[in-house]
Amino acid sequence: DQQVKQNSPSLSVQEGRISILNCDYTNSMFDYFLWYKKYPAEGPTFLISISSIKDKNEDGRFTVFLNKSAKHLSLHIVPSQPGDSAVYFCAAKEDDYKLSFGAGTTVTVRA
Amino acid sequence: GAGVSQTPSNKVTEKGKYVELRCDPISGHTALYWYRQSLGQGPEFLIYFQGTGAADDSGLPNDRFFAVRPEGSVSTLKIQRTERGDSAVYLCASSPGGLTGELFFGEGSRLTVL
């Protein structure tokens, strides 16, 4: 049973505009959330995270928002750049070590 | 190298054969994880090592899958009697200890079972 869901398999955005990626989860015991970025033929790399006690975390062009009551988080990338074209995975932590991943959203930034 | 190293990067085998996939984690990282990523899916947890012992192997799909980490560093994922459904990218990751932050992933081993 998929506990972390990314319902949009793909997103296309123009360079310079905002990219918004969404993620929903079902397990209320998740206490830490992460976004990973993956280029073809490479392993996922950590992008940004947020603890369940916060509702926002910002790192440069990347901001993650968490709405615990809705069990929803989102990643905002602004402004989007061509190098941001990749697959983005939402992940949630349980049991202090195990990550549950969503299926990923492929972002394409158009020049 | 400084990152997580996985070998082979690609493995093609026939149904029924035995396969070993190797992971060399970042030096000093005590925690090691194996994940499996099937086409169109996110990584799925297989097993977690803290030091030499498997702290959680609940993600291994069946008893054809086994993993070891005898000296607390390099790990080997072993798959017996491979089936076509085992075809996937097997990702290894390490972290300094438990999961206080992010995992550091290798590039993965792509397994194709014909």
Side-chain angles (χ1 to χ4, degrees):
Chain A
D1 187 27
Q2 197 86 10
Q3 297 188 84
V4 178
K5 296 182 182 180
Q6 294 176 256
N7 292 319
S8 296
S10 63
L11 172 70
S12 181
V13 63
Q14 192 155 12
E15 182 179 2
R17 305 297 290 268
I18 186 170
S19 294
I20 300 177
L21 292 79
N22 293 301
C23 177
D24 296 293
Y25 62 94
T26 57
N27 188 344
S28 58
M29 299 302 292
F30 288 147
D31 60 2
Y32 196 74
F33 302 89
L34 306 91
W35 286 92
Y36 282 80
K37 178 179 179 179
K38 185 182 183 304
Y39 293 118
E42 295 185 9
T45 56
F46 170 77
L47 188 58
I48 192 169
S49 63
I50 188 167
S51 166
S52 60
I53 62 173
K54 294 187 175 182
D55 56 15
K56 178 182 174 180
N57 188 28
E58 191 172 352
D59 183 2
R61 296 185 297 115
F62 303 90
T63 303
V64 56
F65 296 92
L66 175 62
N67 183 334
K68 281 188 66 177
S69 61
K71 294 191 178 68
H72 177 83
L73 65 156
S74 62
L75 173 68
H76 292 207
I77 307 172
V78 55
S80 300
Q81 299 175 352
D84 297 332
S85 296
V87 179
Y88 290 79
F89 292 102
C90 173
K93 182 174 77 68
E94 60 178 318
D95 298 334
D96 290 329
Y97 56 85
K98 187 186 300 184
L99 291 184
S100 294
F101 285 84
T105 297
T106 300
V107 173
T108 303
V109 180
R110 309 186 308 272
Chain B
V4 176
S5 176
Q6 291 188 247
T7 55
S9 55
N10 276 287
K11 176 70 177 179
V12 180
T13 191
E14 293 180 343
K15 181 175 178 293
K17 299 290 188 182
Y18 170 80
V19 165
E20 287 190 354
L21 305 175
R22 175 190 165 106
C23 173
D24 198 344
I26 292 172
S27 177
H29 281 191
T30 59
L32 185 145
Y33 313 78
W34 284 98
Y35 281 77
R36 177 169 74 172
Q37 185 178 9
S38 301
L39 193 63
Q41 302 294 320
E44 293 178 282
F45 171 81
L46 295 178
I47 188 169
Y48 159 62
F49 287 91
Q50 184 60 255
T52 60
D56 184 348
D57 64 358
S58 62
L60 295 178
N62 51 60
D63 61 6
R64 295 187 298 104
F65 288 75
F66 190 72
V68 295
R69 193 186 186 199
E71 298 179 356
S73 179
V74 171
S75 175
T76 305
L77 178 65
K78 308 181 181 193
I79 311 173
Q80 299 178 321
R81 306 182 303 280
T82 52
E83 299 178 357
R84 292 194 180 88
D86 300 335
S87 297
V89 175
Y90 289 82
L91 293 164
C92 178
S94 68
S95 68
L99 185 56
T100 55
E102 69 271 25
L103 301 183
F104 296 83
F105 282 90
E107 295 183 353
S109 291
R110 179 176 296 279
L111 174 65
T112 303
V113 182
L114 301 176

